């Protein structure tokens, strides 16, 4: 992959400088288990030599100026925002479509649906879509917040907005997006899916709900589908962060169900990583493991979508 030029902003402080409790509390905050005041109050009880409360809080909060590995101006891709009908969801959706420049009706490509976290289509997820296009896939990243005006530009507001939406309709929006990809004029008809956090849950869910559409799913630190696991036909490549106890606690029962239903799956646990380790805009980012996970994901899609 050819990456964009050097980023304009410095990386967040090293994760090694931040106590594990801070990551755990941020995870609780990011998933709505505690409010911002409680999160900051807890951070204030930590004694971290040389680091202020604002520095630690800032390091844990995404800085999306860092989240561009592939420029939207990259000459090898074409990116645009596309509206589409979602009869199974909110009625109308919008997403970020990225197509390799060499792909057309005479040179078709497999597709990958990209599912964001619980806060809407942020710049990090858009960059993930561009990375997939650089690897030769048509990528589409819908914004669950489109019915409310779209991602608002910051994660706190995005989380609050997404909590007000009907989860089943969000799932319907993404299902209709998967159908759009399968039927796209430049598509080979093969559809994969990758998602992060809530998007990992969506990846598991669509694999179970759309067995004749989703052929390969790569959920990152996502909880299991709530039903229809026996219907899954897709190959799954499942990525976990070792320190992500909330999600990891769901794995034994999910693995048991996958085995019982003869689902083709591989699961990886990345040592000493936190939930969100693939997101390169915060101190949770673990470059070595994020790159390894992504290389595995691209190879997985190559194997399951190009054959």
């Amino acid at each position: 992959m050819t990456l964009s030029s050097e980023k304009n902003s410095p990386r967040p402080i090293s994760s090694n400088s931040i106590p594990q409790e801070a990551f755990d509390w941020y995870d609780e905050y990011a998933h709505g288990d505690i409010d911002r005041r409680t999160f900051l109050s807890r951070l204030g009880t930590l004694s971290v030599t040389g680091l202020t409360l604002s520095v630690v809080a800032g390091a844990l909060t995404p800085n999306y100026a860092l989240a561009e590995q592939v420029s939207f101006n990259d000459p090898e891709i074409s990116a645009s925002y596309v509206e589409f009908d979602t009869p199974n969801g909110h009625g109308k959706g919008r997403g970020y479509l990225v197509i390799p420049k060499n792909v057309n009706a005479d040179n078709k490509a497999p597709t990958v649906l990209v599912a964001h976290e619980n806060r809407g289509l942020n710049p990090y997820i858009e960059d993930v879509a561009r990375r997939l296009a650089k690897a030769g896939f048509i990528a589409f990243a819908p914004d669950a917040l489109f019915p409310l005006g779209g991602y608002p530009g910051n994660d706190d507001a995005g989380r609050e907005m997404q909590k007000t939406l009907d989860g089943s309709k969000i799932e319907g929006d993404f299902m209709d997006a998967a159908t759009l990809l399968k039927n796209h004029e430049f598509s080979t008809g093969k559809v994969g899916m990758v998602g992060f956090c809530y998007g990992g849950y969506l990846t598991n869910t669509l694999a179970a709900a759309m067995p004749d559409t989703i052929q390969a799913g790569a959920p990152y630190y996502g909880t299991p589908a709530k039903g229809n696991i026996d219907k899954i036909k897709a190959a799954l490549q499942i990525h976990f962060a070792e320190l992500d106890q909330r999600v990891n606690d769901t794995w034994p029962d999910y693995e048991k169900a996958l085995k019982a239903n003869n689902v083709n799956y591989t699961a990886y646990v990345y040592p000493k990583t936190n939930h969100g380790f693939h997101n390169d805009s915060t101190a949770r980012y673990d470059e070595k493991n994020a790159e390894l996970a992504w290389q595995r994901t691209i190879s997985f899609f190559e194997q399951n979508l190009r054959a």
Side-chain angles (χ1 to χ4, degrees):
M1 179 191 303
T2 302
L3 303 184
S4 61
S5 58
E6 190 170 324
K7 299 178 177 66
N8 296 323
S9 301
R11 280 258 168 236
I13 59 176
S14 167
S15 60
N16 295 329
S17 305
I18 301 175
Q20 183 58 40
E21 297 99 317
F23 290 105
D24 296 338
W25 295 334
Y26 180 79
D27 190 54
E28 289 185 66
Y29 165 59
H31 293 92
D33 297 326
I34 59 175
D35 60 22
R36 183 172 179 80
R37 177 176 294 182
T38 302
F39 168 58
L40 294 176
S41 176
R42 289 183 182 180
L43 285 185
T45 67
L46 294 176
S47 176
V48 186
T49 304
L51 298 177
T52 65
L53 170 62
S54 61
V55 168
V56 175
L60 293 171
T61 303
N63 175 0
Y64 289 124
L66 302 175
E68 184 181 274
Q69 292 191 23
V70 178
S71 170
F72 67 92
N73 288 320
D74 191 294
E76 295 181 4
I77 62 174
S78 175
S80 62
Y81 293 96
V82 174
E83 291 190 14
F84 62 106
D85 292 329
T86 62
N88 294 300
H90 287 93
K92 203 77 175 176
R94 184 175 187 260
Y96 188 63
L97 180 67
V98 195
I99 301 176
K101 277 289 180 65
N102 66 341
V103 168
N104 51 52
D106 297 318
N107 183 36
K108 297 185 177 184
T111 66
V112 179
L113 183 63
V114 184
H116 59 68
E117 310 109 322
N118 63 339
R119 63 210 68 171
L121 179 59
N122 57 51
Y124 154 64
I125 297 296
E126 291 184 345
D127 192 64
V128 168
R130 293 193 295 270
R131 296 176 209 177
L132 284 160
K134 284 283 285 186
F137 300 95
I138 297 171
F140 189 49
D143 187 356
L145 300 184
F146 177 70
L148 301 177
Y151 175 69
N154 73 82
D155 281 18
D156 285 347
R159 265 192 298 270
E160 292 304 312
M161 290 168 66
Q162 192 158 319
K163 283 195 297 186
T164 69
L165 291 171
D166 182 333
S168 64
K169 288 189 176 182
I170 294 177
E171 292 169 17
D173 290 336
F174 276 80
M175 289 178 191
D176 290 326
T179 300
L180 178 153
L181 282 179
K182 184 174 183 177
N183 297 327
H184 191 279
E185 62 178 327
F186 297 164
S187 169
T188 60
K190 294 188 175 182
V191 183
M193 186 169 179
V194 61
F196 305 86
C197 184
Y198 176 76
Y201 160 76
L202 285 178
T203 303
N204 287 320
T205 296
L206 264 66
M210 304 182 76
D212 294 323
T213 299
I214 303 298
Q215 294 176 279
Y220 279 64
Y221 28 84
T223 52
K226 295 174 182 175
N228 295 319
I229 293 173
D230 60 315
K231 302 291 194 300
I232 296 175
K233 297 179 183 178
L236 297 178
Q237 186 184 82
I238 305 170
H239 303 273
F240 293 105
E242 183 183 36
L243 304 176
D244 185 9
Q245 200 62 44
R246 179 184 61 86
V247 170
N248 296 350
D249 284 347
T250 69
W251 174 235
D253 288 342
Y254 189 30
E255 182 176 35
K256 189 180 301 183
L258 294 175
K259 286 182 175 178
N261 291 288
N262 297 313
V263 176
N264 176 15
Y265 78 92
T266 305
Y268 296 102
V269 179
Y270 297 88
K272 299 180 181 179
T273 57
N274 281 283
H275 184 95
F277 73 86
H278 185 267
N279 186 332
D280 54 355
S281 67
T282 81
R284 294 177 296 165
Y285 177 57
D286 186 306
E287 183 175 10
K288 178 181 177 181
N289 283 301
E291 287 297 320
L292 174 59
W294 191 245
Q295 289 167 10
R296 286 170 169 168
T297 299
I298 294 298
S299 296
F300 171 72
F301 286 143
E302 290 282 352
Q303 178 181 351
N304 287 281
L305 299 179
R306 292 202 188 274

